[in-house]
Every structure is written in structure tokens, then in C-alpha cells.
Amino acid sequence: MKLESYWLDTAPIASFGDDAAVQGRVDVAVIGGGFTGLSAALALARRGASVALLDAGRIGGGASGRNGGQVNTGVAQDFGALIGQLGLERARRCYLAYASAVDTVERLIHEESIDCDYLASGKLKLASKPHHYEHLAKTADLIYREVDQNIELIDGVRIGEEVQSDRFYGGLLQRHGGQMHMGKFAVGLAQAARRHGATLYEHAPVSAIVKQSGGGYRVASARGELTATNVLIATGPSKHGPFSWYRRRIAPIGSFIIVTEPLGADVVARLFPNRRAYTTTRLMHNYFRLTADDRLVFGGRARFTASEQPSDEKSGRILQRNLVELFPELARTRIDYCWGGLVDMTADRLPRAGQHDGLYFSMGYSGHGTQMSTHMGQVMADVIGGRDDANPWRDFAWPAIPGHTGKPWFLPIVGTYYRIKDVFY
Ligand SMILES: Cc1cc2nc3c(=O)[nH]c(=O)nc-3n(C[C@H](O)[C@H](O)[C@H](O)COP(=O)(O)OP(=O)(O)OC[C@H]3O[C@@H](n4cnc5c(N)ncnc54)[C@H](O)[C@@H]3O)c2cc1C
């Protein structure tokens, strides 16, 4: 078993990093080479701005290359609860922002001819308990009436046509959305950004951003420094660099994934005939999907801990038990990959984007961000260009998480709480 991301391990080998020292002057410095940063660099370069992107490690090596591979529409949280929290109009705006984000991913794949196995097969949320299904039915009514007619409620009898497991009591299918190979998409975006003139630097962790008296910023990195008129911070739940203001607003929560050996066409046709992106309704939920070569990518929170290799393996064993509970016939299936990554969780699980202290930022996608990060890269290029109204998150306040100093000491407590709650939920 490889303790690394399947997406990164099987991405095309490409060289898009610039070998020269970081130096010079640019219109925009983008810090972070995940989907947010790459998409922003692409959009800015396309409109003629000079752009330098700096990543602390490998481009696409953060959450963008380590996720579950799903590109889903709709909000991550219950739509009814979101209406209760924000009111109908704002909740609808959030839902529609995710629909636009899926469109953005599909548009960029098409415009830049990115070969990333994109499959528009929708997302199926699976009810893990009978009363979860009743709740899903109410949510489906609300979504259908208020915001999205491209959905279908599937009852406990028909669910077997979608997924062969006796653990599910029905499901909610949201058809707009898909899945893709995240490593191929990251490489495709990086190559497109370069083609349009952006300069990309790998292994260039940024250690300081200093406002210049004459305007603009000096950005210092391990590979040199440059000056930039504007800076976009696209660092996700970064542990390094001068981002403590952001760290106090984000809980970096580990999420873990295993990938099986190829299952074979017969098993796939029987267990997952429609190749959806699947999630379950438990609080400690699982998410899964197939790869183009018929492996099962199976993820979940498993444990509330950071992602590190020994910890990833332990989480992987928990995930394998979850997998076999849902699909007993996969008990002997080999696990080929196991890894973890950090989710940039905000208190309300909604992203934040805008400007703080003169610096632009977009992050906090809370585990629902492959589409939104790509979309927000494009949006932030508009915002930097003066179109603040393009930002769907412009009027969301962002107070620090109470008691959070930047190190997530509270995660084990939250994990225990969720595990207990899951039993009764
Ligand atoms: C295990 C897991 C599963 C997930 N599954 C899904 C899913 O199925 N569907 C979904 O929609 N979302 C999912 N997500 C979330 C999604 O992957 C992220 O929301 C999205 O990729 C965030 O992109 P980003 O560009 O903002 O951040 P990242 O991809 O994390 O990129 C941030 C980059 O910033 C760099 N950086 C940090 N500090 C510095 C510094 N000081 N200097 C320079 N560079 C720096 C990092 O090296 C990194 O490359 C998942 C996340 C995880 C971890």
C-alpha cells in the first residue's frame, strides 16, 4: 500500500515550475498553488496581468491533490438549516454559487482542453438511517421548490438500483455535478496558467508580506523575493508563513482516504452501476466514488486528528472497516493507497473571501471546495480588477473562532462529541 495520494501519484509528470530565483515586480503575487491560486493565476494572466504564483511545496500538493475527487453542486450543510441560519435569499445565493462553481470547472476543462476524466454523473446522498431518509425527503422538497429542479428523491426500494448495499434507506440525487482526476486537473490548470503567461514557483514558502511605503507589497520566500501591486492569499489551512489572522478563523481538520485495487467491470456494474459521487448522512460520514480505472476511492473523517503518515495508516484501517460494513463483498479487496489531508473548516462551513489589511484572500471551503476553489480563483481575479460584487461571500463576517489561537487543541473534544452524537442522530 502506498501512503500517498492516488491523484498525485498518477498525475502526468509535468514541469511547470520556474527554476530561476523569485525576483522582479508583478501586478499580482498569488500565494498558494492549489485550485484557488491556479485558477486565479490563469484568469489574471488571461486578462493580461503579470502574475507570479508561489507554492510552499508541489503545485497541487495541498488539499487540491489530496481530496475525494467529487465536484458537487449544492451546499454541504442541510439546505433547510441554512435557510434558518441565513434566510431564504442568502441560502439560495449560497446554493446557486455552488451550481456556478460546477459550471466554472466544466467551462475551464472545455476552454483549456484539460484531460482529467471528468464525468458528469451527479451526487447521491445516501440515508444511513430510516429517519435520515425522512429528513432527506423534506430537504428534497425544499430544494426542488426554492432552488434546483434537477434533483430526484430515491426511496428505499429503488436505492438498490443505484448502490448495492443493505445499509441505505434511500437517497437524494443532485444531477448537476461530477467527479474528476484531481491531479490531472491541477496539472492542466497549471499548464494553462503558464501558457497564458503566469510564472509558477514550487518549493517557495512565503515567510513575509510587507506593505511598501510607495504602494504594493514585498513578498519574501525561501527562493527570493519580489514586489507585487496586489497579493492574493490562497493558502488553505496553511501551517507556515505570516497567516495567523487566517489561522484563528480556520480549524484544520484531517480527512482521510483509501483507494482499492481495480474492482473489475462486473463488481462495478453490480455495486455502483451509475458511477455517482456518493456521500452518507452520518455526522462522521463517508464519501466514495470510482476512478476511471474502476478503483473505489473511499474517504471519511475517521478520526479528528491532523494528517501525518502513521496517523493516516490508522485512519485508513478505520476506513477499511467502514467500507466492509457497507460493502461486505469487498472484504478481501486490496487497499493500494491511503493518505490524509487537511480541510480548512470555518465555524459555519461556508467559505470566506475578500480583502483584509489590503491583501486579497479566498479560503475556508470546509471540505466542499474542489468546485468552489476553482470558481473563487476566477472570481477573485474579477474582485482584484474592481468587481467586488462578483464575490458571493462579500457580506459574510469572519470573526475568529472563540478560544482558537491558531493551534486546533479542541479537535479531540469535537471528535468525541460527534462520535457520541452520531449514535443518537
Ligand atoms: C481529504 C480531503 C478530501 C476532500 N474531498 C473533497 C471532495 O471530494 N469534494 C470537494 O469539493 N472538496 C473536497 N475537499 C476540499 C477541497 O479539496 C479543497 O477545498 C480545495 O482543494 C482547496 O483548494 P485551495 O487551493 O484553496 O487549497 P490547497 O489545495 O490546500 O492549496 C493551498 C496551497 O497553499 C500552499 N501554501 C500554504 N502555505 C504557504 C506559504 N506560506 N507559502 C506558499 N505557499 C503556501 C500549500 O502548499 C498548498 O499547495 C477535500 C479536502 C480534503 C483534505
Side-chain angles (χ1 to χ4, degrees), residues 68-394:
Q70 306 198 0
V71 186
N72 297 329
T73 200
V75 288
Q77 50 280 83
D78 177 64
F79 186 56
L82 196 64
I83 294 174
Q85 189 187 323
L86 300 178
L88 177 59
E89 277 323 305
R90 282 179 101 202
R92 190 187 271 141
R93 200 216 295 167
C94 295
Y95 191 105
L96 292 175
Y98 282 93
S100 304
V102 172
D103 293 342
T104 297
V105 171
E106 293 181 353
R107 173 175 62 77
L108 289 177
I109 289 172
H110 176 72
E111 285 174 356
E112 300 296 341
S113 306
I114 300 175
D115 173 11
C116 60
D117 308 330
Y118 188 81
L119 179 68
S121 58
K123 164 185 156 182
L124 181 59
K125 189 162 191 174
L126 294 158
S128 302
K129 296 185 181 177
H131 70 276
H132 292 186
Y133 176 70
E134 285 160 29
H135 189 82
L136 270 187
K138 286 191 189 126
T139 303
D141 275 350
L142 202 54
I143 291 176
Y144 189 88
R145 195 173 65 233
E146 301 296 350
V147 72
D148 182 359
Q149 273 86 59
N150 197 8
I151 65 165
E152 186 183 345
L153 187 68
I154 298 172
D155 64 24
V157 177
R158 283 179 49 232
I159 200 67
E161 295 164 19
E162 283 284 347
V163 60
Q164 270 297 318
S165 165
D166 60 7
R167 293 304 176 106
F168 300 120
Y169 298 86
L172 169 59
L173 175 63
Q174 288 162 288
R175 287 203 184 77
H176 184 51
Q179 45 188 280
M180 62 185 173
H181 187 303
M182 295 293 158
K184 291 185 182 179
F185 184 62
V187 168
L189 273 185
Q191 286 173 330
R194 269 199 104 185
R195 236 182 357 258
H196 289 276
T199 307
L200 314 183
Y201 298 97
E202 295 184 296
H203 308 291
V206 168
S207 51
I209 303 172
V210 182
K211 197 169 177 139
Q212 303 289 86
S213 53
Y217 298 86
R218 183 173 61 82
V219 177
S221 83
R223 290 186 48 195
E225 43 184 78
L226 50 73
T227 49
T229 310
N230 287 299
V231 175
L232 172 65
I233 298 174
T235 48
S238 171
K239 288 195 217 151
H240 319 285
F243 307 120
S244 57
W245 188 84
Y246 302 94
R247 268 177 219 124
R248 290 198 302 277
R249 285 155 176 80
I250 283 178
I253 293 185
S255 192
F256 303 90
I257 295 180
I258 51 176
V259 172
T260 67
E261 64 182 312
L263 298 180
D266 291 353
V267 176
V268 166
R270 201 169 54 253
L271 296 185
F272 315 102
N274 298 319
R275 306 183 83 100
R276 314 276 187 207
Y278 309 89
T279 66
T280 69
T281 53
R282 284 189 181 280
L283 292 176
M284 298 285 277
H285 73 292
N286 292 113
Y287 46 89
F288 46 99
R289 53 155 284 196
L290 296 159
T291 59
D293 62 348
D294 287 345
R295 299 169 185 272
L296 188 67
V297 177
F298 188 89
R301 196 137 302 144
R303 299 155 66 235
F304 270 75
T305 178
S307 161
E308 283 151 17
Q309 283 200 348
S311 149
D312 291 356
E313 254 183 299
K314 202 164 166 189
S315 302
R317 283 194 292 275
I318 297 174
L319 285 176
Q320 192 174 10
R321 281 203 296 277
N322 297 161
L323 167 67
V324 174
E325 272 166 28
L326 300 182
F327 304 104
E329 79 169 90
L330 301 184
R332 288 172 196 281
T333 303
R334 198 180 63 232
I335 305 299
D336 282 348
Y337 290 86
C338 170
W339 73 91
L342 286 180
V343 167
D344 50 352
M345 196 71 82
T346 60
D348 60 5
R349 297 193 65 197
L350 292 171
R352 292 297 189 275
Q355 219 176 349
H356 170 69
D357 250 357
L359 305 173
Y360 293 94
F361 67 89
S362 183
M363 60 184 75
Y365 308 110
S366 303
H368 195 47
T370 59
Q371 65 308 72
M372 189 52 73
S373 55
T374 309
H375 184 60
M376 287 308 296
Q378 304 280 299
V379 165
M380 291 313 289
D382 283 341
V383 172
I384 293 168
R387 279 209 47 221
D388 197 37
D389 62 318
N391 176 7
W393 315 109
R394 61 190 172 277

Side-chain angles (χ1 to χ4, degrees), residues 17-76:
D18 201 298
D19 290 335
V22 174
Q23 60 180 339
R25 179 168 195 103
V26 289
D27 296 326
V28 186
V30 176
I31 319 298
F35 296 153
T36 307
L38 291 169
S39 169
L42 170 60
L44 289 159
R46 267 174 160 189
R47 59 187 71 176
S50 56
V51 185
L53 179 151
L54 293 83
D55 195 281
R58 170 180 174 177
I59 282 180
S64 299
R66 312 182 67 78
N67 56 61
Q70 306 198 0
V71 186
N72 297 329
T73 200
V75 288

